[in-house]
Amino acid sequence: MTRDGDDPPAYDLLLRGGTIVDPDAHERFIGDVAVAGGQIAAVGPALDPRGATRVVELSGKILTPGLVDLHAHGYWGVTYDGLNVDAVAGRTGVTTWVDAGSSGAATFPGFRHYVIEPSTTRIVPFLNLCAIGIIYRGVLEFNDLRYADVPFAVETIEEHRDLIAGIKVRLGRAIVGDSGDQALWLARDVADHTGLPLLVHLGLPPPSIREILGALQPGDIVTHCFRGGVGGIVLGGKIRADVRAARRRGVLFDIGHGSGSFSFATAREALDDGFPPDSISTDLHQLSIRGPAHDLPTVMSKFLALGMTLEDVVRRVTINPATAIRRVDGTGTLRVGAPADLAVSVLEDGDFEFVDVMGTTVRGQQRLKNVMTFRAGREMDRTRDYGALPLFVRPRDY
């Protein structure tokens, strides 16, 4: 590559000739993406490679915005769930990792200082209503409701408002013990005081889904929305009327696959009834990374196998979750001026078997595999260990 005279390079990086799947576009197209100063500088066909310091040829590969995983866990070394975020992100295309309540008010300062700030991956945390966060699976958060400290949570959010996206509350029989829906309404208090969304873990009742939906407002998020068993969003093979009403008023529905929260049967019923998820996420943690979630490209591939188009799947891992966490800087898009967070993948053809948390299998003819990840225009390392710990607890309703 050469440049005329002594003109400085116009671009730091040019990704050339890939199949671009842009959530702002109506169809995929062959084109180039140029990066300068950590931002997207140009998108279009046949950009001049002579103006770039580095050119990467992407013929036959898919180029999307960096993926946004709306539900994952990354407080590595402190919480049992936590993974080494940069190690996972570098080989999955996830450039924005939304931590779903790993830390609470008492443990958040350490999360910020030791994990979030040194991380290459953008980590956007939801604060857990439980003051200690998800530290230990043996005794779950609201078996002792004294952990639900509303003033402490509000104070922490106000102090760290530049980072915290909202308040997380995990609900379900094992988590709330005998406290019913009290944690839900305490979390509602925090959301109301701070003006931030509420992210609710949908587990086995109590509380019931009717009680949960009754507390939610526009912009709030239900995660684990395609879980199986009783108490979910499907009743008699159809989406519940109160679930549809919640969506109409602006409540969002997220996958949060995890180790216990994704059923192919529920997903088929919901999709057949015209109710796709608003976002597709992994609930990636120490158990689910071993399977059946594995990573975000795998979970995306499951929805391809269920009949969603690549364009529809990409929207649900880019612009949709970015909007849910109120990112207004272009995260999840390929707009000029947006952060140059980019994922390069291949769409493999073949006969692939995918598994849900019940052990049910679905076969698909395509599988997404990440091959390169760029955060702010810099290629991420794909070789680091994700921080696996010995398995010393049984999977429950995660």
Side-chain angles (χ1 to χ4, degrees):
M1 181 183 66
T2 62
R3 294 193 302 270
D4 293 334
D6 297 322
D7 291 340
Y11 310 131
D12 304 317
L13 171 69
L14 180 65
L15 301 177
R16 190 181 185 199
T19 299
I20 296 177
V21 181
D22 182 351
D24 286 330
H26 296 294
E27 58 185 17
R28 54 186 105 168
F29 60 95
I30 305 297
D32 306 341
V33 173
V35 174
Q39 297 181 320
I40 295 175
V43 180
L47 299 179
D48 187 354
R50 294 176 299 173
T53 300
R54 180 188 179 195
V55 176
V56 180
E57 298 290 346
L58 296 184
S59 177
K61 298 180 176 62
I62 293 170
L63 177 60
T64 69
L67 308 184
V68 181
D69 194 339
L70 188 63
H71 185 152
H73 293 277
Y75 200 171
W76 182 80
V78 174
T79 66
Y80 172 76
D81 284 341
L83 295 164
N84 183 324
V85 173
D86 283 347
V88 176
R91 57 180 184 248
T92 62
V94 174
T95 53
T96 300
W97 178 289
V98 182
D99 185 275
S102 297
S103 64
T107 55
F108 184 79
F111 189 28
R112 175 170 191 151
H113 180 71
Y114 294 110
V115 178
I116 295 174
E117 290 179 347
S119 175
T120 299
T121 311
R122 178 190 296 104
I123 301 176
V124 180
F126 275 75
L127 187 76
N128 201 315
L129 174 66
C130 175
I132 61 171
I134 309 172
I135 296 291
Y136 174 54
R137 290 293 194 181
V139 180
L140 300 180
E141 294 98 302
F142 303 118
N143 281 233
D144 187 335
L145 205 59
R146 289 176 294 180
Y147 283 123
D149 190 329
V150 170
F152 196 8
V154 171
E155 176 185 334
T156 301
I157 288 172
E158 295 299 348
E159 185 177 349
H160 300 277
R161 191 173 271 275
D162 61 317
L163 277 180
I164 295 175
I167 187 75
K168 166 74 181 293
V169 61
R170 292 199 331 133
L171 301 174
R173 183 184 307 157
I175 300 163
V176 303
D178 297 325
S179 63
D181 65 353
Q182 292 182 70
L184 169 64
W185 289 102
L186 292 171
R188 174 79 268 154
D189 284 348
V190 177
D192 290 344
H193 274 96
T194 60
L196 293 178
L198 175 57
L199 174 62
V200 178
H201 165 119
L202 180 63
L204 291 171
S208 70
I209 189 168
R210 184 179 299 276
E211 291 171 309
I212 291 169
L213 294 174
L216 301 186
Q217 297 180 3
D220 292 338
I221 306 164
V222 175
T223 191
H224 307 318
C225 69
F226 283 3
R227 62 179 301 277
V230 299
I233 68 171
V234 172
L235 185 63
K238 298 292 184 180
I239 294 295
R240 295 171 53 112
D242 51 2
V243 171
R244 287 197 184 277
R247 170 167 278 181
R248 285 195 298 270
R249 70 173 188 269
V251 175
L252 304 174
F253 291 85
D254 171 66
I255 290 301
H257 187 301
S259 294
S261 301
F262 178 72
S263 159
F264 276 129
T266 300
R268 284 190 188 281
E269 290 171 331
L271 293 174
D272 288 347
D273 202 23
F275 198 91
D278 293 294
S279 53
I280 295 172
S281 66
T282 59
D283 185 18
L284 211 61
H285 51 65
Q286 288 283 344
L287 290 173
S288 62
I289 198 169
R290 297 169 165 91
H294 294 293
D295 55 34
L296 191 50
T298 299
V299 179
M300 293 166 67
S301 299
K302 294 181 183 185
F303 283 88
L304 294 178
L306 288 169
M308 288 182 68
T309 67
L310 178 62
E311 289 79 5
D312 283 344
V313 170
V314 168
R315 286 193 64 83
R316 286 160 174 81
V317 293
T318 54
I319 195 169
N320 283 13
T323 300
I325 58 173
R326 304 182 182 180
R327 301 294 299 194
V328 295
D329 61 352
T331 295
T333 76
L334 295 177
R335 298 168 192 164
V336 172
D341 298 345
L342 303 161
V344 180
S345 308
V346 291
L347 189 58
E348 300 177 331
D349 294 321
D351 181 23
F352 304 107
E353 183 176 88
F354 301 105
V355 185
D356 70 5
V357 303
M358 313 290 185
T360 302
T361 60
V362 165
R363 305 203 78 86
Q365 281 67 58
Q366 292 183 312
R367 179 177 65 185
L368 277 166
K369 181 180 179 181
N370 174 263
V371 294
M372 299 179 80
T373 304
F374 296 87
R375 169 75 176 101
R378 294 182 177 272
E379 187 174 357
M380 295 188 68
D381 185 0
R382 302 175 56 82
T383 63
R384 296 172 61 184
D385 181 76
Y386 61 76
L389 296 174
L391 288 177
F392 58 88
V393 297
R394 289 187 296 111
R396 298 188 191 180
D397 179 28
Y398 286 11

